Amino acid sequence: MDNPFSLIWYVLFLPLAGSLIQALFGGAVVRRLGPAQGKRLMGTIAVLPVAASFLIGVVLVQQLTTMPVQTRHEVVTLFDWIQLQSISIPFEALVDPLSMTMVLIITGVGALIHLYATGYMGDDRDYTRFFTYLNLFIAFMLILVLGNNLPLLFIGWEGVGLCSYLLIGFWYKDLNNARAANKAFIVNRIGDWGLMLGMFLLMVVLAGSKVSLQSNHYLSYEVIFANAVNALRAHPELATAIALLLFVGACGKSAQFPLYFWLPDAMAGPTPVSALIHAATMVTAGVYLLNRMHVLFELSPVASAVVAMVGAFTAVFAALIAFGQTDIKKVLAYSTVSQLGFMFIACGSGAYWAGMFHVTTHAFFKALLFLGSGAVIYAMAHEQDMRRYGNLIKYLPITAGTMIAGYLAIAGVPGLAGFYSKEAILGGALGNEHAIAGGVNLGAVAGWVGLFAAMLTAWYMTRLTMLTFFGKQERWRELPAEEHHEEAHAHDAHEAHEEHAHEDPHGFFFTDEEMAARHEEHEHHHALTGDHQPKEVPPSMWIPLVVLAVLSIGGGYVLHQHELLQKWLYPSGLAVLDPALVPGHPHALPLMALSIFAAGLGLAAGLFFYWKGLPAKETYDESKWSPFRKAARDQFGYDGALMDAGVNGGRDIGLAMWKGVDVAVIDGAVNGLAWTVGRIGDLVRRVQTGFVRSYALMMLLGGVGLLLFLLMELRKLGGAQ
Amino acid sequence: MSGVPLMAYLALGLFMFTTGVVGVIIRRNPIVIFMCIELMLNAVNLTLLAFARYQPSAGSDPVGSAMAGQMMVIFVMAVAAAEVAVGLGIIMAIFRLRHDIDIDEMNLLRG
C-alpha cells in the first residue's frame, strides 16, 4: 500500500472505530467518570474521528487536484469480497472528484453536527448510544459514496437506512417515534427493492451482452461505464428500465413524490439527526446515485424526463404543504423534500453537476436551519409550534443571526449559496435538450416549474423566519404563567433523568436543565409557560451554527467562481460524457433576472403577509383556517390516503390470507388429513382385542392364506410346464 | 428300510401340527400353549426327518443331502429350547406380578 490514496481506508474506518469505541466502552466510561466528565470525554471521542476523516479527505482532494484531469480517479482495493466463477466483487474504494465531494460534505458537515450534538444531547441518558449510531451512520454513508461498485453502494445504502431507523426511533419509549422509525424504514424498503432490481438487471444485461469484457467485475463502475453504452445502445428500452429502477431507489432515499412521506415523520428523531441525516447527507444519496450512474440516464431520455418531472412535481407539492405546517421542524422537513426535488430537476435535465452543486449548498444552509431550529426549540422549552414564538431575535441574537443567513441562502437572495446553485439548476434545465419524452422537452418544463417552486420557497421560509424571530408579539406570553409547571405526562424516556446539577467550568455543556425528549406538536404537551425567558444556547451549539452560516453565505460564491465546481466534477475521468451535455446557460433567457424576480416575489409576499406577526387567519383555532391551508396541513390527503390504503389494506389482506387461506384451506387440509387418519385408526384398532389367542388365530388364518396363495402360484407354474 | 411308507409319517406330522395349532388357539394356560407350540415344532421336525430319509431323488451326494434335513432338525430343537426358556421367564415374571397367568386377563395392549 505505497499509494497515497490508501489513506482513504482511514477515512472509512475512523468513524467505524469511533462507533465501536462508543458502543463498547461508552457506558462504562460515563459510569466511571460521572456524567459530566464522562460525557465530555465521550463527546470529544465522538467528534474526533469524523473531523480526522474530514482532514484526510482534504489532503486527498489536494492530491487529486495535482493530477491531470483525465486520470483523476483512483481505485484502492482492500480485499476480494465476493469471488465466484461468473462474477467477482472486490471491496475497493473509488477516489474521484464526485466521491470526494460527497466525502467532504459528509465528514465536514457531519463533524459540525457531531459537535452540536455533544451540546444538544448533553443530558440525555443514552448519550453514548446516540453517538454510537451517529458515528456508524457516517461510516455507512462513506461506504455508500466511496464504494467502487454497486453492491458496496448498496451496503452503505442499507446501512444508512438502518442508522436512520435507529436514530429516528432514538427515544423509542414514545410509540410515535417508534412508528415514525418504522415508517421511514418500510417506505425506504420500497426504494431499496427498486435499486436491487436495477442492479441485478444491469448485471444480467452486461453479463449477457456480446461486448467482450476485460474482467468479470460486472458491477464495478469502470466496467459499467466502459461497456454499458455498447451493451445498451441496441436496447434503449432496457436502459430505460434499469434507469427507472435505479430512480425508484433514489426516490425512496431522497424522498421524492411517491415515496416522500416518511421524511416529515422522521423529524421525530433528535434535531442533530434531522440536520445530518434527513437534510444534509443521507437524503442526498439518491442524487449521488443519479450522478454516479449518469451514463444510464444519458442513454435514456425517457427516464431522464421522468426524473425531471418527478423532481419538479415534488418541489412544488412539498413547498405548498409547507404553508400548512405550524411545527418549525415540519416546515424544514417539507422544505428539504422540495429542495431535493430541485436536485432531481437538475439530474433529470442532464445538469448533473448542478445537482451536486445544490447538494453541497443545501447541506450548508439546511443543516444550519435545522440546527438553528434545534437551538430555538431548546431555548423555548421544547415547544415546536411557531405560533408560540415571536420576537425571538431579542433573546437569541446568535441563533437568529445565523438562521437568517441560512434563510436568505435558501430563499435565493443574490450572492448567497442557494442563489448560485438554484441558478445553475434552472439554467441547466432550461438550456439542456436532454430530457425529451414524446417530443416534448420536459426538462425545460421542469425548469419553469422549478422557478415557481423557488418563489414558493422564498415565501414559506419568510413565513417561518417572521413568525419565529420578528414581530412585536411574544406569543408564548399568552400562556398561563406557572411557577412550577409539572408535566402531567412524564417523559417516559426521561423518567430516569439523571439528577446531576454540575456546573461546567467551561460552560460547554448544559447543567441539569430538563432536556425533554418529546417532540410532539400537541398543544398540551409543552412545558412552555407565560413567564418563560428564552436563553441563548451554549458555545458547543452556536459554534457550528456560525461556521455553517459562513459557508451558507460564501460557499456558493466560491464554488461558482470560474465554474470551480463544474470543472472539478467534469470531466470526471470515468465518465463517458457526451460533451454536448455539459450544460451551458441558455443565453436567450435573462436567467439571473428571472431567479432574482422569483426570489424577490416570494420574499415580498412573505413579508406582506407576516410582517405583523401571526395573521388572524392562522391562529390556534384551526377550523378558521382557509381550505387551502387545511389541505396543506394534511398533505392534501396524500399521506392519510396512502397510510389508510397501505396499513389498513395490508391488514385486510393479512386477515383475508389468515382467515380465508391459512385457516380454511391449509389448516383445513392438514387437519382434515389428520382427522381422516384418526377415523381409520378408530376403525382398525378394534383388531387389537388384547386376547393372545385371537392373535394366534389371526396368524393361523394368515399362514393358511399364504399357503393357499403359494399353492395357486405353484399350480400355475405346473400348468405352464 | 422299514415298510412304513412316507405318507404315514406325514399324516402323523399333520395330525400333531393341527393338534398344536388348535391347542394354541383354544387354551388359556400359557404353559399348555407352550406345550402345543412344542407339538407344532416337533411335527415339523418329524416331517423334515421323514423327507430326509425318503428322498425322492438322491442326487450326486445322497449322504450330504440327507444330512441337511437332520441338521435343520437340530437347529429347530435349539431354537425351541431357547424360546421356551425366554417364554417361561416371562411367564414367571407375570405370575410374580399378578399371581395369575391366564392369558385372557393380559389385555393391556387392547386397542
Side-chain angles (χ1 to χ4, degrees), chain A residues 319-380:
Chain A
L320 288 175
I321 293 176
F323 281 99
Q325 302 300 320
T326 54
D327 180 325
I328 187 168
K329 278 181 80 177
K330 281 269 162 82
V331 175
L332 290 173
Y334 285 109
S335 163
T336 305
V337 176
S338 173
Q339 297 297 310
L340 287 162
F342 274 99
M343 300 171 202
F344 275 65
I345 294 175
C347 294
S349 53
Y352 297 98
W353 78 274
M356 281 310 290
F357 191 12
H358 202 54
V359 165
T360 314
T361 57
H362 177 259
F364 298 154
F365 56 70
K366 191 50 67 66
L368 166 63
L369 286 166
F370 262 115
L371 296 184
S373 75
V376 171
I377 291 165
Y378 161 74
M380 294 299 284

Coordinates of all heavy atoms in Angstrom, one line a residue, chain A residues 319-380:
Chain A
A319 N -43.5 22.3 -1.3 CA -43.5 23.7 -1.0 C -44.9 24.1 -0.5 O -45.0 24.9 0.4 CB -43.0 24.5 -2.1
L320 N -45.9 23.7 -1.3 CA -47.3 24.0 -0.9 C -47.6 23.4 0.5 O -48.3 24.1 1.3 CB -48.2 23.5 -2.0 CG -48.2 24.3 -3.3 CD1 -49.1 23.6 -4.3 CD2 -48.6 25.7 -3.1
I321 N -47.2 22.2 0.7 CA -47.5 21.6 2.0 C -46.9 22.4 3.2 O -47.5 22.6 4.2 CB -47.1 20.1 2.1 CG1 -47.8 19.3 1.1 CG2 -47.2 19.6 3.5 CD1 -47.4 17.9 1.0
A322 N -45.7 23.0 2.9 CA -45.0 23.7 4.0 C -45.9 24.9 4.5 O -45.7 25.3 5.6 CB -43.7 24.2 3.4
F323 N -46.7 25.4 3.6 CA -47.5 26.6 4.1 C -48.5 26.2 5.2 O -49.0 27.0 5.9 CB -48.3 27.2 2.9 CG -47.5 28.1 2.1 CD1 -46.9 27.6 0.9 CD2 -47.2 29.3 2.5 CE1 -46.1 28.4 0.1 CE2 -46.4 30.2 1.7 CZ -45.9 29.7 0.5
G324 N -48.9 24.9 5.2 CA -49.9 24.5 6.2 C -49.3 23.9 7.5 O -50.1 23.4 8.3
Q325 N -48.0 24.0 7.6 CA -47.4 23.4 8.8 C -47.1 24.5 9.9 O -46.7 25.6 9.5 CB -46.1 22.7 8.4 CG -46.2 21.7 7.4 CD -47.1 20.5 7.8 OE1 -47.1 20.1 9.0 NE2 -47.9 20.1 6.9
T326 N -47.3 24.1 11.1 CA -47.1 25.1 12.2 C -45.8 24.6 13.0 O -45.3 25.4 13.7 CB -48.3 25.2 13.1 OG1 -48.6 23.9 13.6 CG2 -49.5 25.8 12.4
D327 N -45.5 23.4 12.9 CA -44.3 22.9 13.6 C -43.0 23.3 12.8 O -42.9 23.0 11.6 CB -44.4 21.4 13.7 CG -43.2 20.7 14.4 OD1 -42.1 21.2 14.2 OD2 -43.5 19.7 15.1
I328 N -42.1 24.0 13.5 CA -41.0 24.6 12.8 C -40.1 23.5 12.1 O -39.7 23.6 11.0 CB -40.1 25.4 13.8 CG1 -39.0 26.1 13.0 CG2 -39.5 24.5 14.9 CD1 -38.3 27.2 13.9
K329 N -40.0 22.3 12.7 CA -39.2 21.2 12.1 C -39.9 20.6 10.9 O -39.3 20.2 9.9 CB -38.9 20.2 13.1 CG -37.7 20.5 14.0 CD -37.4 19.4 15.0 CE -36.6 18.3 14.3 NZ -36.2 17.2 15.3
K330 N -41.3 20.6 11.0 CA -42.0 20.1 9.8 C -41.9 21.0 8.6 O -41.7 20.5 7.5 CB -43.5 19.9 10.2 CG -43.8 18.7 11.0 CD -44.2 17.6 10.2 CE -44.1 16.2 10.9 NZ -45.2 15.9 11.7
V331 N -41.9 22.3 8.8 CA -41.7 23.2 7.7 C -40.3 22.9 7.0 O -40.2 22.8 5.8 CB -41.8 24.7 8.2 CG1 -41.4 25.6 7.0 CG2 -43.1 25.0 8.7
L332 N -39.3 22.8 7.9 CA -38.0 22.5 7.3 C -37.9 21.1 6.6 O -37.2 21.0 5.6 CB -36.9 22.6 8.5 CG -36.7 24.0 9.0 CD1 -35.8 23.9 10.2 CD2 -36.1 24.9 7.9
A333 N -38.7 20.2 7.1 CA -38.7 18.9 6.5 C -39.3 18.9 5.1 O -38.7 18.4 4.1 CB -39.5 17.9 7.4
Y334 N -40.4 19.6 5.0 CA -41.0 19.8 3.6 C -40.1 20.6 2.7 O -40.0 20.4 1.5 CB -42.4 20.4 3.7 CG -43.4 19.3 4.2 CD1 -43.9 19.4 5.5 CD2 -43.7 18.2 3.4 CE1 -44.8 18.4 5.9 CE2 -44.6 17.3 3.9 CZ -45.1 17.4 5.1 OH -46.0 16.4 5.6
S335 N -39.5 21.6 3.4 CA -38.5 22.4 2.6 C -37.4 21.5 2.0 O -37.0 21.6 0.9 CB -37.9 23.4 3.5 OG -36.8 24.0 2.9
T336 N -37.0 20.5 2.8 CA -35.9 19.6 2.4 C -36.5 18.8 1.2 O -35.8 18.6 0.2 CB -35.5 18.6 3.5 OG1 -35.1 19.4 4.6 CG2 -34.4 17.7 3.1
V337 N -37.7 18.2 1.3 CA -38.2 17.5 0.2 C -38.3 18.3 -1.0 O -37.9 17.9 -2.1 CB -39.7 17.0 0.6 CG1 -40.3 16.3 -0.6 CG2 -39.6 16.1 1.8
S338 N -38.7 19.6 -0.9 CA -38.8 20.5 -2.0 C -37.4 20.7 -2.7 O -37.3 20.7 -3.9 CB -39.4 21.8 -1.6 OG -39.4 22.7 -2.6
Q339 N -36.4 21.0 -1.8 CA -35.1 21.2 -2.4 C -34.5 20.0 -3.1 O -33.8 20.1 -4.1 CB -34.1 21.7 -1.2 CG -34.5 23.0 -0.6 CD -34.5 24.1 -1.5 OE1 -33.6 24.4 -2.2 NE2 -35.6 24.9 -1.6
L340 N -34.8 18.8 -2.5 CA -34.4 17.6 -3.2 C -35.0 17.5 -4.6 O -34.4 17.0 -5.5 CB -34.7 16.4 -2.3 CG -33.9 16.2 -1.1 CD1 -34.5 15.3 -0.1 CD2 -32.5 15.6 -1.4
G341 N -36.2 18.0 -4.6 CA -36.9 18.0 -6.0 C -36.1 18.8 -6.9 O -35.9 18.5 -8.1
F342 N -35.6 20.0 -6.5 CA -34.7 20.8 -7.3 C -33.5 20.0 -7.8 O -33.2 20.0 -9.0 CB -34.2 22.0 -6.5 CG -35.1 23.2 -6.5 CD1 -35.9 23.4 -5.4 CD2 -35.1 24.0 -7.6 CE1 -36.7 24.5 -5.4 CE2 -35.9 25.1 -7.6 CZ -36.8 25.4 -6.5
M343 N -32.9 19.2 -6.9 CA -31.7 18.5 -7.4 C -32.1 17.4 -8.4 O -31.4 17.2 -9.4 CB -31.1 17.7 -6.2 CG -30.6 18.7 -5.1 SD -30.2 17.7 -3.6 CE -30.4 19.0 -2.3
F344 N -33.3 16.9 -8.3 CA -33.7 15.9 -9.3 C -34.1 16.6 -10.6 O -33.9 16.0 -11.7 CB -34.9 15.1 -8.8 CG -34.5 13.9 -7.9 CD1 -33.9 14.1 -6.7 CD2 -34.8 12.6 -8.3 CE1 -33.5 13.1 -5.9 CE2 -34.4 11.6 -7.5 CZ -33.7 11.8 -6.3
I345 N -34.6 17.8 -10.5 CA -34.8 18.5 -11.8 C -33.5 18.6 -12.5 O -33.4 18.4 -13.7 CB -35.4 19.9 -11.5 CG1 -36.8 19.9 -10.9 CG2 -35.4 20.8 -12.8 CD1 -37.3 21.2 -10.5
A346 N -32.4 19.0 -11.8 CA -31.1 19.2 -12.4 C -30.6 17.8 -13.0 O -30.2 17.8 -14.2 CB -30.1 19.6 -11.3
C347 N -30.7 16.8 -12.2 CA -30.2 15.5 -12.7 C -31.0 15.0 -13.9 O -30.5 14.5 -14.9 CB -30.2 14.4 -11.6 SG -29.1 14.8 -10.3
G348 N -32.3 15.2 -13.9 CA -33.1 14.8 -15.0 C -32.9 15.5 -16.2 O -32.9 14.9 -17.3
S349 N -32.6 16.8 -16.1 CA -32.4 17.5 -17.3 C -30.9 17.5 -17.8 O -30.6 18.2 -18.8 CB -32.8 19.0 -17.2 OG -32.2 19.5 -16.0
G350 N -30.1 16.7 -17.1 CA -28.8 16.4 -17.6 C -27.7 17.4 -17.0 O -26.5 17.2 -17.3
A351 N -28.1 18.3 -16.1 CA -27.2 19.2 -15.5 C -26.7 18.5 -14.2 O -27.0 19.0 -13.1 CB -27.8 20.5 -15.3
Y352 N -26.1 17.4 -14.3 CA -25.7 16.6 -13.1 C -24.9 17.4 -12.1 O -25.1 17.3 -10.9 CB -25.0 15.3 -13.5 CG -25.8 14.4 -14.3 CD1 -25.7 14.4 -15.7 CD2 -26.8 13.6 -13.7 CE1 -26.5 13.6 -16.5 CE2 -27.6 12.8 -14.5 CZ -27.4 12.8 -15.9 OH -28.2 12.0 -16.6
W353 N -24.0 18.1 -12.6 CA -23.1 18.9 -11.7 C -23.9 19.9 -10.9 O -23.6 20.2 -9.8 CB -22.0 19.6 -12.5 CG -22.4 20.8 -13.2 CD1 -22.9 20.9 -14.4 CD2 -22.3 22.1 -12.6 NE1 -23.2 22.2 -14.7 CE2 -22.9 23.0 -13.6 CE3 -21.9 22.7 -11.4 CZ2 -23.0 24.4 -13.4 CZ3 -22.0 24.0 -11.2 CH2 -22.5 24.9 -12.2
A354 N -24.9 20.5 -11.6 CA -25.8 21.4 -10.8 C -26.5 20.8 -9.7 O -26.6 21.3 -8.6 CB -26.8 22.1 -11.8
G355 N -26.9 19.5 -9.9 CA -27.5 18.7 -8.8 C -26.5 18.6 -7.6 O -26.9 18.8 -6.5
M356 N -25.2 18.3 -8.0 CA -24.2 18.1 -6.9 C -24.0 19.5 -6.2 O -23.7 19.6 -5.0 CB -22.9 17.6 -7.5 CG -23.0 16.1 -7.7 SD -23.6 15.2 -6.2 CE -22.2 15.4 -5.1
F357 N -24.0 20.6 -7.0 CA -23.8 21.9 -6.5 C -24.9 22.2 -5.5 O -24.6 22.7 -4.4 CB -23.8 22.9 -7.7 CG -23.4 24.3 -7.3 CD1 -22.7 24.6 -6.1 CD2 -23.6 25.3 -8.2 CE1 -22.3 25.9 -5.8 CE2 -23.2 26.6 -7.9 CZ -22.6 26.9 -6.7
H358 N -26.1 21.9 -5.8 CA -27.2 22.1 -4.9 C -27.1 21.2 -3.7 O -27.4 21.6 -2.6 CB -28.5 22.0 -5.6 CG -29.6 22.7 -4.9 ND1 -29.6 24.1 -4.6 CD2 -30.8 22.3 -4.4 CE1 -30.7 24.4 -4.0 NE2 -31.5 23.4 -3.8
V359 N -26.6 20.0 -3.9 CA -26.4 19.1 -2.7 C -25.5 19.8 -1.7 O -25.7 19.8 -0.5 CB -25.8 17.7 -3.2 CG1 -25.2 17.0 -2.0 CG2 -26.9 16.9 -3.8
T360 N -24.4 20.4 -2.3 CA -23.4 21.0 -1.4 C -24.0 22.2 -0.7 O -23.9 22.3 0.6 CB -22.2 21.4 -2.3 OG1 -21.9 20.4 -3.1 CG2 -21.0 21.8 -1.4
T361 N -24.6 23.1 -1.4 CA -25.1 24.3 -0.8 C -26.2 24.0 0.2 O -26.3 24.5 1.3 CB -25.5 25.3 -1.8 OG1 -26.5 24.8 -2.6 CG2 -24.4 25.8 -2.6
H362 N -27.1 23.1 -0.3 CA -28.2 22.7 0.6 C -27.7 22.1 1.9 O -28.3 22.3 2.9 CB -29.1 21.7 -0.2 CG -30.2 21.2 0.6 ND1 -30.2 20.0 1.2 CD2 -31.4 21.7 0.9 CE1 -31.4 19.8 1.8 NE2 -32.1 20.8 1.7
A363 N -26.6 21.3 1.8 CA -26.1 20.7 3.0 C -25.7 21.8 4.0 O -26.0 21.8 5.2 CB -24.9 19.9 2.7
F364 N -25.1 22.9 3.4 CA -24.7 24.0 4.3 C -26.0 24.6 5.0 O -26.1 24.7 6.2 CB -24.0 25.1 3.6 CG -22.7 24.6 3.0 CD1 -22.1 25.2 1.8 CD2 -22.0 23.6 3.5 CE1 -21.0 24.8 1.3 CE2 -20.8 23.1 3.0 CZ -20.3 23.7 1.9
F365 N -26.9 25.2 4.1 CA -27.9 26.0 4.7 C -29.0 25.2 5.4 O -29.6 25.6 6.4 CB -28.5 27.1 3.8 CG -29.0 26.6 2.5 CD1 -30.2 25.8 2.4 CD2 -28.4 26.9 1.3 CE1 -30.7 25.4 1.2 CE2 -28.9 26.4 0.1 CZ -30.1 25.7 0.0
K366 N -29.3 24.0 4.9 CA -30.3 23.2 5.6 C -29.8 22.6 6.9 O -30.6 22.6 7.9 CB -30.8 22.1 4.7 CG -32.1 21.4 5.1 CD -33.2 22.4 5.5 CE -33.8 23.2 4.4 NZ -34.5 22.4 3.4
A367 N -28.6 22.2 7.0 CA -28.0 21.8 8.3 C -28.1 23.0 9.2 O -28.5 22.8 10.4 CB -26.6 21.3 8.1
L368 N -27.7 24.2 8.7 CA -27.8 25.4 9.6 C -29.2 25.6 10.1 O -29.4 25.9 11.3 CB -27.2 26.5 8.8 CG -27.5 27.9 9.3 CD1 -26.8 28.1 10.7 CD2 -27.0 29.0 8.4
L369 N -30.1 25.6 9.2 CA -31.5 25.9 9.6 C -32.0 24.9 10.6 O -32.7 25.2 11.6 CB -32.4 25.9 8.4 CG -32.3 27.1 7.5 CD1 -32.9 26.9 6.1 CD2 -32.8 28.3 8.1
F370 N -31.7 23.6 10.4 CA -32.2 22.6 11.3 C -31.5 22.8 12.7 O -32.2 22.7 13.7 CB -31.9 21.2 10.8 CG -33.0 20.5 10.1 CD1 -33.0 20.3 8.8 CD2 -34.2 20.2 10.9 CE1 -34.1 19.7 8.2 CE2 -35.3 19.7 10.3 CZ -35.3 19.4 8.9
L371 N -30.2 23.0 12.7 CA -29.5 23.2 14.0 C -30.0 24.4 14.6 O -30.2 24.5 15.9 CB -28.0 23.3 13.7 CG -27.3 22.0 13.2 CD1 -25.8 22.2 13.1 CD2 -27.7 20.8 14.0
G372 N -30.3 25.5 13.8 CA -30.9 26.7 14.4 C -32.2 26.4 15.0 O -32.5 26.9 16.1
S373 N -33.1 25.7 14.3 CA -34.4 25.4 14.8 C -34.2 24.5 16.1 O -35.0 24.7 17.1 CB -35.2 24.6 13.8 OG -34.8 23.3 13.7
G374 N -33.2 23.7 16.2 CA -33.0 22.9 17.4 C -32.6 23.9 18.5 O -33.1 23.7 19.7
A375 N -31.8 24.9 18.2 CA -31.5 25.8 19.3 C -32.7 26.6 19.8 O -32.9 26.8 21.0 CB -30.4 26.8 18.7
V376 N -33.6 27.0 18.8 CA -34.8 27.7 19.2 C -35.7 26.8 20.0 O -36.2 27.2 21.1 CB -35.6 28.1 17.9 CG1 -36.9 28.6 18.3 CG2 -34.8 29.2 17.2
I377 N -35.8 25.5 19.6 CA -36.7 24.6 20.4 C -36.1 24.4 21.8 O -36.8 24.4 22.8 CB -36.8 23.3 19.6 CG1 -37.5 23.4 18.3 CG2 -37.4 22.2 20.5 CD1 -37.4 22.3 17.4
Y378 N -34.8 24.3 21.8 CA -34.2 24.1 23.1 C -34.4 25.4 24.0 O -34.7 25.2 25.2 CB -32.7 23.9 22.9 CG -31.9 24.2 24.2 CD1 -31.9 23.3 25.2 CD2 -31.2 25.4 24.3 CE1 -31.2 23.6 26.4 CE2 -30.5 25.6 25.5 CZ -30.5 24.7 26.5 OH -29.8 25.0 27.7
A379 N -34.3 26.5 23.4 CA -34.5 27.8 24.2 C -35.9 27.9 24.6 O -36.2 28.6 25.6 CB -34.0 29.0 23.4
M380 N -36.9 27.4 23.8 CA -38.3 27.6 24.1 C -38.9 26.4 24.8 O -40.1 26.0 24.6 CB -39.0 27.9 22.8 CG -38.7 29.2 22.2 SD -39.0 30.6 23.2 CE -40.8 30.7 23.0

